[in-house]
Amino acid sequence: FGLLNEKSLIAPSHLHDYSRVWADFDTKQQGFIGQHKLREFLDKLDDPLGMKNPTRQFIKPIFYEVSTFHQQGGIPFTELLETLLAQKLGVDALTLDLRVSREKELEKIHDIGSTIEAQALCRGFLARLKVQRMKAAKAAGAQAAK
């Protein structure tokens, strides 16, 4: 990203902090952490790459982007770092060709995120409907037994 001097938004000390926190989560040193650990990882990572008690608004776009490159072993070290850097610096820190590419990538990520949200809403609705039907069947069974 080309902005790695001590007076910049992202300094080498921030990258060292990222590596240190990563090592706490990647105890087998395989280069991956589980997606279920992402929120805790970001909580332990200091600003500017992380956030104490990350808000849903902060973590949601990161979670969606991670879901595009999540592998069998989990979230890869480099891809997560690049995502956090891009999130922090924004598209204005990129050259024009990279900016256009990043904006196209973000459109796809937004579509994936929307799909994930819709699926979650449908699963929640179906689960609530199932519970209501089970309660109704149980109540009908109790009344039939009287």
Side-chain angles (χ1 to χ4, degrees):
F1 283 88
L3 296 173
L4 296 177
N5 63 49
E6 289 298 329
K7 294 180 183 175
S8 68
L9 279 172
I10 307 296
S13 61
H14 300 127
L15 300 178
H16 293 298
D17 183 48
Y18 177 86
S19 295
R20 181 187 53 75
V21 173
W22 183 274
D24 293 342
F25 286 83
D26 183 15
T27 55
K28 296 180 183 176
Q29 298 178 348
Q30 296 178 332
F32 298 94
I33 62 170
Q35 192 164 357
H36 63 285
K37 295 180 181 179
L38 182 59
R39 180 178 289 277
E40 185 182 354
F41 176 82
L42 293 172
D43 184 50
K44 292 205 186 290
L45 191 60
D46 291 331
D47 279 338
L49 295 176
M51 175 187 268
K52 296 294 178 202
N53 300 315
T55 63
R56 187 172 181 166
Q57 289 174 325
F58 175 78
I59 201 168
K60 213 177 201 184
I62 294 169
F63 179 79
Y64 293 155
E65 188 163 350
V66 162
S67 68
T68 65
F69 58 75
H70 181 267
Q71 298 175 7
Q72 189 69 20
I75 303 169
F77 176 91
T78 304
E79 285 84 347
L80 181 57
L81 177 58
E82 289 172 353
T83 297
L84 295 175
L85 287 170
Q87 184 80 12
K88 182 62 180 183
L89 299 175
V91 293
D92 294 336
L94 303 173
T95 61
L96 182 59
D97 58 331
L98 289 175
R99 184 182 307 175
V100 170
S101 171
R102 176 78 179 150
E103 287 173 349
K104 287 180 183 176
E105 199 176 307
L106 288 174
E107 282 180 32
K108 290 178 188 174
I109 290 166
H110 177 73
D111 290 345
I112 290 169
S114 298
T115 303
I116 290 170
E117 287 291 322
Q119 289 173 343
L121 289 171
C122 288
R123 282 192 303 270
F125 171 76
L126 292 174
R128 286 188 299 278
L129 187 62
K130 182 178 179 179
V131 168
Q132 287 175 348
R133 288 181 179 166
M134 288 173 48
K135 287 180 180 179
K138 187 176 181 181
Q143 287 204 353
K146 288 183 182 183

